[in-house]
């Protein structure tokens, strides 16, 4: 018998993998819960000790006909019917965890996760960073946990399940390739639809590849159709050497004809600087921004507050 970790406990396990996440993602997958159960307490604690799951209660998934029930340290989730074949990662002989695609759908069924929460999480799952307990609050990874396309296939494979409509709506807001929480926040501001407080700009490409005379370079957030890109500079002071490297790299990109705008944390967090950023961006993109209503301004302020709060102290992302 083995455990299957799900819901927010699965998210904790995936995040705790840190730089070893790519190795975890290479583990075999299964869609079967046939041999999963609620193991005796000493064995349960021993398995979790090495999993990275510290918060209690732990969320565990069981087949509908399996034994086991809620107890003080466990919340049991039941699954009836067949699961998509790559739903669960086989961590080891004693432990399964819901994969990032199944996890996204799983959390969409929770009342405390709305579309914006899910979209922000989706950027993380489809990006190259994970939020964790390290000194700066995140770890960059060699590859993303998953992609928008893979989550989309999982959603279609779970048609009729709770939360599927919310998962589908949230996924429509997600873009592959974010490399930091602040890139996620900035991209969300610019691309979320106006009904949510965003500007609806697009199409957008994150960590967009640009071919220069000296090889490939990458732009944090690009609007390729209008030849405009944004580079997030972070909140912390940049060393002179690092700043010089960044500027020379940017010069190569500008040499291809793309307009590059630098963005600092304060440009996002402070209202007057954010409005100036939007004004400069619209001018660079050569588009006209319609006059905003008071209701839109209220939605925009609410969205910005929520997104910045979602990253907390991660302004240096």
């Amino acid at each position: 018998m083995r455990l299957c970790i799900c819901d927010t406990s699965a998210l904790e396990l995936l995040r705790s993998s840190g730089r070893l996440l790519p190795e975890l993602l290479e583990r075999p997958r299964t869609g079967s819960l046939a041999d999963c159960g609620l193991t005796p307490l000493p064995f349960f604690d021993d398995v979790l000790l090495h999993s990275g799951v510290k918060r209690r209660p732990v969320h565990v998934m069981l087949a509908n006909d399996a034994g086991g029930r809620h107890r003080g340290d466990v919340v049991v989730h039941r699954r009836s019917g067949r699961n998509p074949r790559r739903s669960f990662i086989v961590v080891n002989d004693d432990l399964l965890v819901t994969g990032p695609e199944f996890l996204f759908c799983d959390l969409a069924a929770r009342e405390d996760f709305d579309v914006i929460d899910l979209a922000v999480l989706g950027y993380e799952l489809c990006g190259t960073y994970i939020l964790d307990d390290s000194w700066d609050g995140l770890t960059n990874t060699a590859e993303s946990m998953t992609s928008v396309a893979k989550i989309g296939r999982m959603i279609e494979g779970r048609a009729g399940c709770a939360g599927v409509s919310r998962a589908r709506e949230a996924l429509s807001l997600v873009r592959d390739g974010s490399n930091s929480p602040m890139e996620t926040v900035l991209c969300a501001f610019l691309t979320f639809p106006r009904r949510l407080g965003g500007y609806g700009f697009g199409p957008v490409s994150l960590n967009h590849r640009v071919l220069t005379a000296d090889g490939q370079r990458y732009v944090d957030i690009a609007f390729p159709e209008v030849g405009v890109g944004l580079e997030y500079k972070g909140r912390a002071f940049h060393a002179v050497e690092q700043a010089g490297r960044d500027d020379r790299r940017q010069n190569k990109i500008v040499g291809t004809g793309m307009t590059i705008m630098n963005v600092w944390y304060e440009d996002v967090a402070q209202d007057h600087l954010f409005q100036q950023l939007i004004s400069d961006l619209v001018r660079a993109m050569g588009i006209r921004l319609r006059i905003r209503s008071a209701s839109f301004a209220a939605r925009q302020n609410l969205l910005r507050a929520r997104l910045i709060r979602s990253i907390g102290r991660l302004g240096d992302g």
Side-chain angles (χ1 to χ4, degrees):
M1 183 181 295
R2 54 188 175 183
L3 287 172
C4 179
I5 303 299
C6 67
D7 204 82
T8 53
S9 297
L11 179 59
E12 184 183 7
L13 188 153
L14 292 170
R15 283 173 167 171
S16 70
S17 301
R19 297 189 185 280
L20 296 178
L21 179 63
E23 295 181 21
L24 176 62
L25 297 173
E26 288 297 319
R27 299 289 299 164
R29 300 238 186 164
T30 182
S32 174
L33 293 169
D35 58 347
C36 292
L38 192 53
T39 55
L41 195 57
F43 182 73
F44 178 86
D45 289 338
D46 185 60
V47 171
L48 290 181
L49 180 64
H50 303 95
S51 72
V53 178
K54 300 176 182 177
R55 296 181 179 88
R56 297 296 187 272
V58 178
H59 293 264
V60 174
M61 185 170 291
L62 301 177
N64 208 37
D65 57 353
R69 60 171 184 253
H70 294 315
R71 65 190 194 203
D73 60 340
V74 172
V75 176
V76 173
H77 299 252
R78 300 285 180 179
R79 278 287 294 168
S80 58
R82 298 180 62 182
N83 301 299
R85 62 184 183 88
R86 291 180 56 80
S87 295
F88 312 109
I89 300 172
V90 182
V91 181
N92 53 49
D93 291 341
D94 302 318
L95 185 64
L96 302 182
V97 63
T98 51
E101 304 83 12
F102 195 102
L103 172 64
F104 187 86
C105 298
D106 217 9
L107 296 180
R110 291 178 60 118
E111 293 184 358
D112 56 342
F113 273 72
D114 66 9
V115 167
I116 293 175
D117 294 323
L118 285 168
V120 171
L121 175 62
Y123 269 94
E124 180 184 351
L125 299 179
C126 299
T128 53
Y129 69 92
I130 50 176
L131 305 182
D132 57 22
D133 295 327
S134 59
W135 70 271
D136 58 351
L138 78 156
T139 296
N140 284 106
T141 58
E143 59 186 68
S144 61
M145 289 195 210
T146 185
S147 67
V148 170
K150 290 178 181 178
I151 295 176
R153 289 194 290 271
M154 179 63 68
I155 290 173
E156 296 312 310
R158 294 189 60 184
C161 294
V164 165
S165 295
R166 184 184 296 170
R168 189 177 289 114
E169 180 183 0
L171 187 65
S172 71
L173 305 176
V174 180
R175 301 294 180 269
D176 291 319
S178 178
N179 193 48
S180 77
M182 279 304 297
E183 286 181 26
T184 291
V185 168
L186 185 56
C187 189
F189 280 149
L190 299 177
T191 63
F192 276 15
R194 293 196 172 199
R195 61 182 173 79
L196 295 177
Y199 283 91
F201 296 153
V204 69
S205 175
L206 289 167
N207 282 284
H208 180 71
R209 184 171 61 182
V210 178
L211 184 61
T212 74
D214 289 344
Q216 295 180 12
R217 299 291 186 270
Y218 293 87
V219 179
D220 291 341
I221 301 172
F223 297 94
E225 290 190 356
V226 292
V228 177
L230 302 175
E231 286 282 289
Y232 181 68
K233 293 297 186 178
R235 191 177 187 178
F237 179 75
H238 282 60
V240 173
E241 294 83 358
Q242 179 63 46
R245 287 195 294 271
D246 287 349
D247 290 343
R248 285 189 288 275
R249 180 177 66 88
Q250 183 171 305
N251 289 342
K252 297 296 183 182
I253 296 171
V254 171
T256 68
M258 177 171 279
T259 298
I260 298 295
M261 296 177 57
N262 295 317
V263 182
W264 284 263
Y265 175 82
E266 291 75 14
D267 294 321
V268 179
Q270 298 181 22
D271 186 65
H272 71 286
L273 293 177
F274 180 67
Q275 297 304 330
Q276 184 61 55
L277 170 65
I278 295 300
S279 177
D280 293 342
L281 178 60
V282 166
R283 189 178 302 111
M285 295 174 73
I287 61 177
R288 184 176 179 180
L289 193 63
R290 296 178 183 176
I291 297 175
R292 302 184 301 279
S293 65
S295 62
F296 173 76
R299 292 194 302 273
Q300 178 198 89
N301 289 334
L302 179 61
L303 176 64
R304 188 161 78 250
R306 281 195 59 180
L307 291 174
I308 292 175
R309 187 167 60 248
S310 75
I311 62 168
R313 63 189 175 88
L314 299 176
D316 292 342

